[in-house]
């Protein structure tokens, strides 16, 4: 018998204990206590997965496609991914050894970071960014090095800022364009600047292109397709956003075979393989999903037009997002900080938005509004936000 | 967006919701209400848009009876199927007329107040038309989908209110 007063917390590793809870989660707890909330806080499509994809999954179940697949993923899916990547992103990869199917981009990001990082290595990434980037880096005992992006550049990462942050320990440049939470996107010229920087400092680029198909500017080839980049880039993508398949948990990574092999080792021991029936659904999405995918993209684009116009009219300025389904209006003119703005808007008007600070400290002064919700709801939310803002002044 | 693309987008949106206000169309398409109104007038004038109708759940509404009628006809020299198809279309009971490939020629959808109504239209008006060789009538028993809309609503799954 021990009379130790230590709580079970003592077992938690310090680098995990030190991880912050996602700012989004705290907010979620608050929302749960209320009904009739209109939520612009949802980072997933409001569309149900297109029926042909669901049907393919049901078919797979009916026909007993319920066993493990190869570690890298069903060869038919890898083949479909490489064909799709060639046609849509200008990327040429071999299905046999340059592509791995993962449990969402989430797992792809985790295993690629674990595959390449040693304690003390530095990862350059932009803020604001997706909530998992810094924690995922920390879990490998490497060091996340945020580089701030600004509204005046439409939140596109600037080489000058990268140059100030790069050190001899820098190993990875992590990019996410089109961007969650800002809706920023990169032109081909922007991508070329990133590529030049990565080559100059001998960095590996991880490009999270999960919103690539939800672009509202003419699509340009992926950064990995630029000269000299293929050997130093791993491209991450998935089905969650473009095909409205978040619950299927399916994504992939493409890159040089040595890196895919290293990722495969981790994947094989920690995950074994992605869900077979989700893989069957993914094959269908790639083979026949273009039409529904484009319909959803157009609907997002039109909602974007509406929400950007309204927010600017209300006096919460934002630029026209180039992709994804988020707008990132500046709210500092209200005199409130992001967290207070979001909390009071929720309590007083029952509209949920996410404080910009959930995506990095430079998100202060901004909130994220998702337009992955019906235009009807967006219109009501805008009316309520208008009332909220005018009552403040 | 040029006018032709705008028109395409307008038609796509009005197909989904014929009551969509011009203001919403303008905002969605990054255009102006005046521009949208002018393009809709053109679409109407050019008979691209021929009318605006509600999508009605018949069962919930009234006791109308509908039938699909396959009609075999004798095509005419010079005009083929057109003359007879247009003549049949003039009857107000006839809701739609299509020329189809396959075992018969024209596919009609006919609406009446009762089965009796439709039956007597078929025997007294339709079958006796010059050029009509045969008819086969199928009364519609239950409708599952109309104009792209499923009659029974899908069960709705609520997403989490906040996700990253
Ligand atoms: C930028 C970004 N990367 C990755 C993910 C995770 O996606 P998945 O569902 O494929 O794990 C998200 C989801 O919100 C995201 O916004």
């Amino acid at each position: 018998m021990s009379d130790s007063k230590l709580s079970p917390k003592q077992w938690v590793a310090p680098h995990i204990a030190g991880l912050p809870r996602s700012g989004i989660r705290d907010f979620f707890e608050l929302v749960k206590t209320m009904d009739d909330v209109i939520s612009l806080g949802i980072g997933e499509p409001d569309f149900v997965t297109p029926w042909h994809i669901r049907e393919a999954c049901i078919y797979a179940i009916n026909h007993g496609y319920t066993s493990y697949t190869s570690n890298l993923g069903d060869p038919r899916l890898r083949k479909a991914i490489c064909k799709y990547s060639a046609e849509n992103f200008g990327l040429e990869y071999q299905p046999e050894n340059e592509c791995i199917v993962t449990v969402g981009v989430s797992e792809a990001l985790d295993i690629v970071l674990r595959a390449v990082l040693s304690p003390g290595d530095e990862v350059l990434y932009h803020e604001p960014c997706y909530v998992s980037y810094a924690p995922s880096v920390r879990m490998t005992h490497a060091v996340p090095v945020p580089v701030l992006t600004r509204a005046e550049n439409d939140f596109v990462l600037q080489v000058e800022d990268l140059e100030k942050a790069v050190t001899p320990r820098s190993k990875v440049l992590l990019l996410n364009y089109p961007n969650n939470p800002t809706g920023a996107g990169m032109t081909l010229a922007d991508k070329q600047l990133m590529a030049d920087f990565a080559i100059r400092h001998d960095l590996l680029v991880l490009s999270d292109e999960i919103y690539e198909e939800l672009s509202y500017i003419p699509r340009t080839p992926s950064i990995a397709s630029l000269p000299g980049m293929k050997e130093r880039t791993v491209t991450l993508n998935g089905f969650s956003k473009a095909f409205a398949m978040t619950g299927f948990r399916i994504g992939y990574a493409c890159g040089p075979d040595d890196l895919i092999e290293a990722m495969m080792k981790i994947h094989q021991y920690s995950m074994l393989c992605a869900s077979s029936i989700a893989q069957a659904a993914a094959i269908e999405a790639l083979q026949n999903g273009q039409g529904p995918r484009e319909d959803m993209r157009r609907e997002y684009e039109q909602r974007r037009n509406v929400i950007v116009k309204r927010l600017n009219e209300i006096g919460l300025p934002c630029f026209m997002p180039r992709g994804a389904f988020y707008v990132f209006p500046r709210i500092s003119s209200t005199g409130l900080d992001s967290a207070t703005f979001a909390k009071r808007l929720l309590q007083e008007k029952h509209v949920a938005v996410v404080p910009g600070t959930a995506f990095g400290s430079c998100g202060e002064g901004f909130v994220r509004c998702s337009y992955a919700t019906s235009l009807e709801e967006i219109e009501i939310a805008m009316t309520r936000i208008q009332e909220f803002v005018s009552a403040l002044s | 967006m040029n006018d032709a693309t705008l028109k395409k987008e307008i038609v796509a949106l009005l197909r989904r919701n014929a009551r969509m206000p011009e203001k919403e169309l303008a905002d969605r398409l990054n255009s102006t209400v005046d521009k949208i109104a002018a393009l809709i007038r053109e679409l109407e004038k050019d008979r691209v848009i021929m009318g605006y109708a509600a999508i009605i759940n018949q069962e919930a509404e009234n006791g109308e009876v509908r039938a699909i009628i396959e009609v075999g006809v004798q095509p005419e020299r010079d005009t083929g199927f057109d003359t007879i198809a247009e003549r049949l279309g003039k009857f107000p009971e006839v809701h739609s007329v299509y020329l189809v490939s396959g075992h018969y020629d024209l596919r009609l959808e006919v609406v009446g107040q009762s089965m009796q109504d439709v039956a007597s239209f078929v025997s007294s008006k339709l079958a006796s038309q010059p050029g009509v060789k045969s008819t086969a009538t199928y009364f519609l028993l239950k409708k599952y989908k109309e104009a792209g809309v499923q009659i029974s609503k899908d069960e709705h799954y609520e997403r989490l209110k906040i996700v990253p």
Side-chain angles (χ1 to χ4, degrees):
Chain A
M1 230 174 51
S2 153
D3 51 13
S4 158
K5 288 277 189 300
L6 284 175
S7 75
K9 243 189 185 157
Q10 66 173 304
W11 305 115
V12 178
H15 72 297
I16 300 300
L19 291 181
R21 267 164 61 92
S22 159
I24 287 188
R25 274 222 67 81
D26 294 338
F27 214 64
F28 180 60
E29 297 303 321
L30 192 63
V31 173
K32 268 205 319 213
T33 63
M34 326 178 70
D35 46 11
D36 84 328
V37 170
I38 294 200
S39 184
L40 303 182
I42 309 183
E44 69 174 324
D46 56 315
F47 299 104
V48 182
T49 310
W51 171 250
H52 70 106
I53 297 173
R54 289 187 273 157
E55 200 273 338
C57 187
I58 295 167
Y59 182 90
I61 294 172
N62 278 340
H63 287 73
Y65 186 55
T66 54
S67 38
Y68 292 135
T69 69
S70 106
N71 293 131
L72 283 177
D74 184 323
R76 289 172 303 160
L77 176 55
R78 278 183 278 140
K79 216 167 146 188
I81 288 168
C82 291
K83 181 163 178 281
Y84 181 83
S85 298
E87 289 167 1
N88 289 271
F89 313 130
L91 299 171
E92 300 292 339
Y93 288 109
Q94 296 309 315
E96 297 76 24
N97 55 2
E98 295 180 322
C99 169
I100 182 168
V101 177
T102 58
V103 180
V105 168
S106 303
E107 193 221 346
L109 181 68
D110 177 46
I111 62 175
V112 72
L113 291 173
R114 283 201 271 164
V116 303
L117 293 173
S118 306
D121 285 345
E122 293 176 5
V123 176
L124 297 167
Y125 68 102
H126 47 76
E127 274 187 358
C129 71
Y130 181 50
V131 293
S132 84
Y133 287 180
S136 299
V137 171
R138 284 205 189 283
M139 284 191 271
T140 70
H141 300 277
V143 183
V145 179
V147 180
L148 308 193
T149 58
R150 301 180 197 82
E152 70 247 37
N153 306 120
D154 291 355
F155 293 102
V156 172
L157 195 50
Q158 303 295 302
V159 173
E160 306 87 83
D161 296 318
L162 282 169
E163 291 289 0
K164 285 182 211 143
V166 70
T167 77
R169 287 309 304 265
S170 304
K171 186 165 186 185
V172 165
L173 172 62
L174 172 53
L175 299 173
N176 166 229
Y177 290 93
N179 178 259
N180 176 9
T182 62
M186 280 198 170
T187 61
L188 193 57
D190 296 326
K191 291 179 190 176
Q192 189 60 57
L193 288 172
M194 293 300 119
D196 295 344
F197 172 80
I199 291 171
R200 197 155 58 240
H201 295 282
D202 195 20
L203 302 174
L204 172 70
V205 171
L206 306 181
S207 185
D208 175 350
E209 302 185 359
I210 192 166
Y211 294 103
E212 181 55 32
E213 291 99 317
L214 302 180
S215 289
Y216 313 117
I217 53 173
R219 289 257 304 284
T220 55
S222 289
I223 187 164
S225 72
L226 299 179
M229 288 308 290
K230 188 172 170 189
E231 57 268 33
R232 60 171 68 250
T233 307
V234 176
T235 304
L236 316 176
N237 206 335
F239 298 83
S240 288
K241 316 291 174 170
F243 297 99
M245 291 173 66
T246 44
F248 283 82
R249 308 306 308 123
I250 188 95
Y252 56 91
C254 292
D257 56 353
D258 289 339
L259 288 178
I260 297 297
E261 172 68 17
M263 291 166 71
M264 197 273 275
K265 285 191 208 164
I266 304 171
H267 177 73
Q268 151 192 332
Y269 295 129
S270 59
M271 203 63 70
L272 227 166
C273 68
S275 150
S276 61
I277 54 177
Q279 293 190 54
I283 293 172
E284 172 65 24
L286 293 182
Q287 287 178 344
N288 299 310
Q290 256 70 310
R293 187 195 76 190
E294 177 57 18
D295 288 347
M296 292 188 279
R297 192 198 65 81
R298 267 170 48 207
E299 178 63 22
Y300 291 133
E301 181 174 11
Q302 294 177 7
R303 293 175 187 172
R304 173 200 69 155
N305 295 343
V306 175
I307 196 169
V308 166
K309 183 156 182 267
R310 292 282 183 284
L311 286 168
N312 282 306
E313 284 167 1
I314 292 169
L316 303 178
C318 54
F319 70 100
M320 192 58 101
R322 287 170 169 173
F325 37 58
Y326 310 103
V327 264
F328 205 61
R330 186 195 287 280
I331 52 93
S332 41
S333 65
T334 61
L336 304 178
D337 63 48
S338 299
T340 312
F341 180 96
K343 204 170 205 164
R344 282 188 54 187
L345 178 64
L346 180 59
Q347 283 165 340
E348 295 169 27
K349 292 291 174 186
H350 296 196
V351 174
V353 297
V354 181
T357 43
F359 310 99
S361 52
C362 70
E364 184 54 79
F366 299 86
V367 296
R368 188 192 75 175
C369 302
S370 159
Y371 47 91
T373 200
S374 73
L375 197 60
E376 259 175 286
E377 297 226 321
I378 290 172
E379 291 281 7
I380 300 170
M382 290 301 119
T383 307
R384 293 188 191 176
I385 291 176
Q386 162 119 59
E387 290 165 5
F388 176 72
V389 169
S390 38
L392 287 173
S393 52
Chain B
M1 244 189 269
N2 63 26
D3 283 6
T5 322
L6 261 179
K7 278 186 183 171
K8 258 206 193 121
E9 295 290 343
I10 292 171
V11 168
L13 287 167
L14 290 179
R15 260 178 192 280
R16 256 170 49 193
N17 175 10
R19 280 163 55 92
M20 189 174 287
E22 284 168 0
K23 169 98 171 73
E24 180 177 334
L25 287 165
D27 287 350
R28 276 177 175 267
L29 302 173
N30 247 352
S31 183
T32 62
V33 171
D34 289 347
K35 177 87 198 167
I36 296 290
L39 291 178
I40 291 181
R41 273 198 302 277
E42 275 180 36
L43 286 164
E44 290 169 349
K45 205 180 92 221
D46 298 342
R47 288 179 58 76
V48 175
I49 297 175
M50 304 199 297
Y52 302 87
I55 304 166
I56 302 293
N57 181 353
Q58 228 80 35
E59 273 177 36
E61 205 241 356
N62 59 21
E64 250 179 27
V65 171
R66 278 172 187 246
I68 304 250
I69 304 177
E70 300 173 354
V71 187
V73 301
Q74 180 63 54
E76 286 171 34
R77 199 188 170 87
D78 299 332
T79 62
F81 293 101
D82 292 350
T83 310
I84 181 148
E86 273 158 26
R87 199 163 67 231
L88 293 180
K90 287 194 197 303
F91 288 104
E93 293 90 335
V94 175
H95 185 79
S96 61
V97 183
Y98 300 95
L99 176 64
V100 296
S101 59
H103 294 309
Y104 58 100
D105 305 305
L106 297 176
R107 178 194 180 282
L108 273 49
E109 202 176 327
V110 170
V111 183
Q113 289 309 310
S114 63
M115 273 169 107
Q116 201 49 55
D117 241 19
V118 174
S120 75
F121 170 76
V122 173
S123 55
S124 65
K125 302 275 173 33
L126 188 59
S128 57
Q129 284 292 315
V132 169
K133 292 190 304 193
S134 67
T135 67
T137 303
Y138 305 89
F139 284 103
L140 302 189
L141 303 180
K142 180 166 179 179
K143 182 151 34 183
Y144 293 93
K145 191 173 182 180
E146 171 81 18
V149 183
Q150 206 104 27
I151 306 286
S152 67
K153 271 196 141 181
D154 266 351
E155 241 174 272
H156 184 64
Y157 171 76
E158 276 279 344
R159 292 178 297 165
L160 299 175
K161 285 287 187 197
I162 304 260
V163 296

